[in-house]
Amino acid sequence: MSTATAHPNIALAKYWGKRDERLILPATGSLSMTLDVFPTTTTVSLTDADEDSVVLDGETLTSDEAARVTTVLDLVREASGRREYAAVSSTNTVPTAAGLASSAAAFAALATAAADAYGLSADGALLSRLARRGSGSACRSIFGGLVRWNAGDSDDTSFAEPLAWAGPDLGMVVAVVSSARKSVSSREAMRRTIATSPYFPAWVESNAALLEQMSIAVDAGDFTLLGELTEQSALRMHASMFGAVPPVRYLTAASIALFDAVGELRASGLECYATADAGPNVKVLCRADDAQAVSNRLAEIVPNAEYRVAHTGTGARLVEEEAE
Ligand code: 2P0
């Protein structure tokens, strides 16, 4: 029996669109910050049952719902040369209202626990590749701090790596404006953007270039450039979705109000930058020292949101079982 824990990550340079759906190879690389809040903990036990079972927050998933978990387990079985099925049990601490994607933390924890349970000796790159097959963004949650997912062009070459950040400690304020379930999954929304948006090719070309600039900003510890590129990547990603038919519009009036509020804070000398993913909630990148002030000021300007302050967190890791 092996247990692992992992945290969600927020992309600063976004991943949006796949060049290969089955292998989950992205159209471009991406760069993220792993958070120190909302960990997922997952236990994998080998069983003599005749199929895998998956329990999420106490609820048993159907085999359809568990298909992505089984995909990762099949890969770990293949790599380890073992055949036993597994019982997987996972606990999420993301409050449902937080609207933060939990799949990244979930599949990073799963890959880490499953590799250990099956006796597969796996380095970070292999764990990242295994997590990727469950959910693309999960490959980044294997590592802590700032992380770059190199797009690669094959299963072997598409994985994440941790980056050395020479700048000030980072903070992220999560602004939750809605806890409603999203109407279009990100997987479906990516497909639709690729198939119908005239802006998708421009998104791919511009984000690949932006990622290289952002990597230079990370090397240099340049917080201002990191932040400016973060907002650009988010808005360009959403612009590519606006161009889809029918359009994919995750941003609401409240999201836009938060982007405006972040601009106001910047103008007043409190440096921070907004980003948003496949939903209306907004995440605000800032210096760790400013995070509480950013949260307080945003709450004054946009009171109809819930705020949570986060910092950079650690990557996926095995946890010792408590002694009976
Ligand atoms: C990201 N998102 O880079 C981007 C930005 C949402 C917007 O990765 O289909 O759950 O499992 O590979 O990773 C959300 O998509 O998608 C995501 P799949 P995933 O964080």
Side-chain angles (χ1 to χ4, degrees):
M1 176 157 145
S2 301
T3 299
T5 183
H7 295 99
N9 71 76
I10 301 298
L12 307 182
K14 301 297 185 188
Y15 148 52
W16 195 253
K18 299 178 181 66
R19 60 188 281 173
D20 186 308
E21 280 255 351
R22 187 181 68 82
L23 294 174
I24 311 197
L25 303 180
T28 70
S30 54
L31 196 156
S32 60
M33 170 176 163
T34 300
L35 303 186
D36 63 348
V37 294
F38 311 137
T40 293
T41 302
T42 300
T43 298
V44 175
S45 317
L46 304 197
T47 71
D48 52 13
D50 53 11
E51 60 178 356
D52 295 318
S53 64
V54 182
V55 175
L56 180 57
D57 291 327
E59 304 279 331
T60 303
L61 302 189
T62 63
S63 52
D64 274 359
E65 290 166 337
R68 288 158 72 181
V69 173
T70 308
T71 299
V72 174
L73 292 171
D74 282 342
L75 291 164
V76 174
R77 279 188 283 261
E78 196 183 316
S80 66
R82 293 181 67 163
R83 308 169 66 124
E84 298 98 317
Y85 287 103
V88 176
S89 174
S90 190
T91 315
N92 252 314
T93 58
V94 186
T96 34
L100 261 185
S102 54
S103 68
F107 283 102
L110 173 71
T112 304
D116 190 66
Y118 281 93
L120 176 67
S121 123
D123 61 7
L126 178 53
L127 291 177
S128 180
R129 287 170 48 211
L130 291 167
R132 190 196 83 233
R133 299 291 292 274
S135 188
S137 54
C139 77
R140 300 186 308 237
S141 275
I142 294 294
F143 303 104
L146 294 185
V147 178
R148 176 173 159 146
W149 174 10
N150 294 304
D153 57 5
S154 64
D155 179 45
D156 293 350
T157 53
S158 186
F159 55 86
E161 59 178 358
L163 300 178
W165 163 243
D169 287 346
L170 298 172
M172 188 158 287
V173 177
V174 180
V176 179
V177 300
S178 165
S179 55
R181 269 191 89 74
K182 55 189 164 197
S183 53
V184 190
S185 73
S186 48
R187 202 162 277 201
E188 173 54 29
M190 286 184 203
R191 277 190 202 119
R192 195 189 296 171
T193 308
I194 294 171
T196 64
S197 175
Y199 306 140
F200 185 71
W203 154 254
V204 171
E205 193 180 327
S206 66
N207 199 54
L210 182 148
L211 175 65
E212 296 314 318
Q213 272 184 288
M214 191 178 276
S215 300
I216 292 168
V218 170
D219 282 346
D222 186 337
F223 173 71
T224 299
L225 183 56
L226 181 71
E228 287 173 355
L229 294 169
T230 294
E231 275 202 11
Q232 284 171 24
S233 184
L235 292 172
R236 287 174 182 174
M237 175 186 77
H238 286 283
S240 78
M241 295 184 219
F242 281 17
V245 183
V248 180
R249 198 169 58 80
Y250 288 121
L251 301 179
T252 62
S255 322
I256 301 298
L258 278 157
F259 272 75
D260 284 348
V262 163
E264 251 182 72
L265 295 197
R266 263 204 313 270
S268 77
L270 188 53
E271 196 177 0
C272 57
Y273 300 90
T275 186
D277 296 293
N281 301 321
V282 174
K283 295 94 180 187
V284 181
L285 178 70
C286 58
R287 293 181 174 87
D289 288 348
D290 292 338
Q292 194 57 55
V294 167
S295 178
N296 296 345
R297 296 273 304 274
L298 289 175
E300 286 166 20
I301 305 171
V302 184
N304 296 332
E306 282 179 41
Y307 295 89
R308 177 77 188 252
V309 170
H311 300 95
T312 44
T314 51
R317 61 183 169 82
L318 289 167
V319 291
E320 298 290 331
E321 292 300 320
E322 282 176 25
E324 292 287 319

